[in-house]
Amino acid sequence: MGGAVKILVMIVVVASFDVLIGYTGIISFAHTAFFAIGAYGVGISLRRFGAELPVLLGGLAGALIVTALAAGLIGFCSMRVRTVFFAMITLAAASAFSLFVLQFYDLTGGPDGLVFQIPRFFRPANIILSEKIFDRTINGTLLLYYVIFIVCGIVFLFLLRLVNSPFGRVLQAIRENEMRAEAIGFSVLTYRVQINCIAACCACLAGSLYAVWLRYVGPDTTVSLQIMLDVLLMAVIGGTGTIYGAVVGVTLFVLAETYLRLGIAALHVHAAGVPGLDAVTDPNRWLLWLGLLFVMSVYFFPDGVVGTLRRRSAARGKAAGKSKLRTFETGR
């Protein structure tokens, strides 16, 4: 279930990031900082005030408030500048938060992170049903898994509805032509700050769910630059500007990250003794193959998997429409 939970959580993070980069044209490198605020919010609360459900909900509420205020402040101060400078400002904010996490050891655990207990209701020892269902014990861990599944599903549907609403259409208008959107009466700054706060709160919620599942929060699992790069790669592989692309990109990336090393290890067994081939199939070089797969995905799917399939489907529909029109005009 650990891999499935990671996929569910990252789908929310990538979809909320895609709302910024794909639908609004905003590149925010501070997105994982909000993910980390959610994780540290519940982690610090549960460790300091006890593993109770009200403490968990209180930590989550506090993290969401801090996230909304921070995202609003960053957005208001930085979105008046051009896209590149905004990206640099968000990168600086993410770096500042990372330093805060590493240096305030008493509060955050520094580079070691925090290990904490979760409410008894979600622990494996909490047997909810005495009889197994489909040969599986119904305990607190399974309940927590379904809670994460439902919450992530609701957030994903919310983001899907958001980008297809009039609010989402305005965001796309801002992405296409900011000056024209401003000229017809939309406050570009207000819309950008609002969507930055919404996306940040979604990432914060995902971070809190992931921390509760792991029962651990640390820099390597929340706020490192590698996580931000992974989110960016997932969004590009799935296709920016397509919420469904988050599902495809995250699933492909996590599966490749999980099973690529095993596949290369199997190849290495058969390639043993072949000069050159046994070296490139060394399981320790799985990142090299992951990079090659990424390059190939960008080459064959330049708009991402979902974006490219949509473009090809639209092209086929347009060609079929022209063929029908030609048949109607010639009467054949």
Side-chain angles (χ1 to χ4, degrees):
M1 288 191 288
V5 169
K6 184 176 181 181
I7 289 176
L8 290 170
V9 168
M10 293 311 294
I11 284 175
V12 172
V13 178
V14 174
S16 59
F17 180 68
D18 190 33
V19 168
L20 293 176
I21 188 173
Y23 286 88
T24 319
I26 298 172
I27 303 175
S28 173
F29 290 108
H31 206 58
T32 51
F34 303 126
F35 178 76
I37 290 175
Y40 275 99
V42 297
I44 294 172
S45 300
L46 291 172
R47 186 177 175 90
R48 288 182 172 257
F49 303 109
E52 300 294 338
L53 189 59
V55 175
L56 170 63
L57 297 177
L60 173 60
L64 287 172
I65 293 172
V66 172
T67 296
L69 292 176
L73 182 63
I74 292 173
F76 187 77
C77 295
S78 58
M79 287 196 184
R80 292 180 182 278
V81 299
R82 291 181 180 274
T83 305
V84 175
F85 297 104
F86 169 74
M88 297 304 294
I89 291 174
T90 59
L91 183 61
S95 300
F97 183 76
S98 180
L99 288 175
F100 171 83
V101 168
L102 292 174
Q103 294 185 357
F104 283 77
Y105 189 91
D106 293 339
L107 181 65
T108 63
D112 299 329
L114 296 174
V115 178
F116 53 87
Q117 295 293 324
I118 59 175
R120 185 180 60 83
F121 201 59
F122 294 129
R123 293 178 190 172
N126 180 31
I127 305 299
I128 299 174
L129 293 178
S130 57
E131 297 184 359
K132 291 185 177 180
I133 297 180
F134 296 111
D135 200 26
R136 191 167 192 90
T137 303
I138 310 301
N139 59 7
T141 302
L142 191 64
L143 176 65
L144 178 59
Y145 171 77
Y146 280 106
V147 168
I148 294 173
F149 178 81
I150 292 172
V151 173
C152 289
I154 291 174
V155 175
F156 181 80
L157 292 176
F158 165 73
L159 292 173
L160 189 62
R161 180 69 186 93
L162 183 71
V163 297
N164 289 297
S165 67
F167 182 81
R169 302 300 181 197
V170 175
L171 297 180
Q172 294 173 50
I174 293 172
R175 178 195 64 190
E176 297 297 327
N177 194 318
E178 179 181 331
M179 294 182 64
R180 186 174 297 173
E182 190 83 41
I184 60 178
F186 295 113
S187 174
V188 173
L189 177 63
T190 301
Y191 276 91
R192 282 185 164 180
V193 172
Q194 288 176 349
I195 193 59
N196 195 44
C197 291
I198 292 172
C201 287
C202 291
C204 172
L205 182 59
S208 64
L209 293 175
Y210 198 47
V212 171
W213 177 261
L214 295 178
R215 305 181 197 180
Y216 167 78
V217 57
D220 294 337
T221 59
T222 55
V223 76
S224 69
L225 181 60
Q226 183 60 46
I227 297 176
M228 189 64 241
L229 293 176
D230 289 348
V231 170
L232 186 59
L233 288 177
M234 292 172 189
V236 171
I237 291 173
T240 56
T242 59
I243 289 293
Y244 293 111
V247 179
V248 176
V250 170
T251 305
L252 291 177
F253 188 90
V254 173
L255 290 179
E257 192 179 46
T258 305
Y259 296 106
L260 187 60
R261 182 179 297 183
L262 298 177
I264 294 174
L267 285 176
H268 185 68
V269 173
H270 297 286
V274 180
L277 193 58
D278 59 343
V280 296
T281 56
D282 190 322
N284 294 323
R285 293 190 172 87
W286 71 278
L287 280 175
L288 169 66
W289 290 96
L290 186 64
L292 289 176
L293 285 177
F294 173 68
V295 172
M296 289 174 64
S297 69
V298 172
Y299 181 80
F300 291 105
F301 300 96
D303 296 329
V305 175
V306 175
T308 303
L309 293 179
R310 276 186 178 178
R311 180 168 51 81
R312 290 176 181 175
S313 177
R316 282 197 298 270
K318 190 176 181 181
K322 287 183 178 178
S323 176
K324 288 182 180 178
L325 179 61
R326 193 179 305 112
T327 303
F328 176 76
E329 290 175 345
T330 57
R332 296 178 180 178

